[in-house]
Amino acid sequence: MTGVVTAVSSNGDYSFSKPNRDSITLLAGLGVEGDVHAGVTVKHRSRMAQDPTQPNLRQVHLIHEELFAEVGGEGFQVAPGELGENITTRDIDLLGLPVGTLLRIGDGAVVEVTGLRNPCLQIDNFQDGLLKQVVGRDEAGALVRKAGIMSVVKEGGVVRPGDVIDVKLPDEPHRPLGRV
């Protein structure tokens, strides 16, 4: 299974959206070089308030570009980086990957999938009503989160739009993604 990087984004300041870049550098065990969320321990404000010593399982945020078309059908316009992701992808079912999946991106960067992004009210502050589009319930009533996945950097490297993403699933049994 392969996909492609369509955009990369980072921001050294806390803000909801992240500007697109020509490239980003992933640092093993830390995240995106220069990004406010890079670090060994949590950097998201709500997580730091709970326990600033917990490990950072949210070093790199990936979103599938197909989500933008889906919410576009409901009247929302979202572009890469605007939901705070670092890497925008195409042609990979990110939400269907199991925990522990390795994504080799470009020439050498590798991230390990840790879980689902938990969408928050900031999404409605960005565009009113958008939160309902990225979180909902399936036919059985189970919560469905569609705002991307989180990962940690296993091997560093430069990531650029157009880079190929190779997917390596972990050994079975696979564990479905949960909120991190």
Side-chain angles (χ1 to χ4, degrees):
M1 178 180 350
T2 63
V4 67
V5 174
T6 59
V8 294
S9 310
S10 67
N11 197 339
D13 297 318
Y14 280 105
S15 69
F16 182 71
S17 296
K18 296 182 185 230
N20 294 155
R21 308 286 183 194
D22 292 332
S23 67
I24 56 174
T25 300
L26 302 186
L27 303 172
L30 295 174
V32 179
E33 182 177 49
D35 192 83
V36 71
H37 294 112
V40 174
T41 57
V42 293
K43 299 302 175 200
H44 288 77
R45 289 178 176 168
S46 64
R47 304 287 166 105
M48 289 189 324
Q50 293 171 358
D51 177 5
T53 66
Q54 60 187 307
N56 188 2
L57 301 177
R58 301 164 55 103
Q59 293 174 357
V60 181
H61 177 197
L62 297 92
I63 282 186
H64 50 296
E65 181 179 77
E66 292 86 352
L67 177 64
F68 304 151
E70 181 182 327
V71 300
E74 299 297 323
F76 296 92
Q77 289 190 326
V78 180
E82 289 187 333
L83 293 181
E85 76 276 10
N86 300 111
I87 300 175
T88 309
T89 70
R90 183 177 58 237
D91 297 332
I92 295 178
D93 178 13
L94 294 177
L95 304 177
L97 298 174
V99 172
T101 298
L102 297 177
L103 303 176
R104 179 169 296 281
I105 307 170
D107 291 333
V110 177
V111 299
E112 180 178 342
V113 176
T114 56
L116 295 168
R117 175 191 184 184
N118 190 37
C120 65
L121 287 176
Q122 288 184 10
I123 293 176
D124 269 350
N125 293 338
F126 171 67
Q127 287 186 41
D128 190 40
L130 184 57
L131 181 59
K132 280 187 169 180
Q133 301 300 314
V134 299
V135 68
R137 302 233 174 238
D138 64 15
E139 299 80 29
L143 192 62
V144 176
R145 294 175 175 92
K146 298 190 257 181
I149 63 171
M150 306 307 283
S151 64
V152 295
V153 182
K154 301 307 271 182
E155 296 178 32
V158 176
V159 177
R160 295 176 180 85
D163 281 350
V164 172
I165 304 168
D166 289 312
V167 177
K168 182 176 187 267
L169 297 175
D171 292 338
E172 293 192 15
H174 291 162
R175 289 186 303 134
L177 297 178
R179 173 182 77 89
V180 294

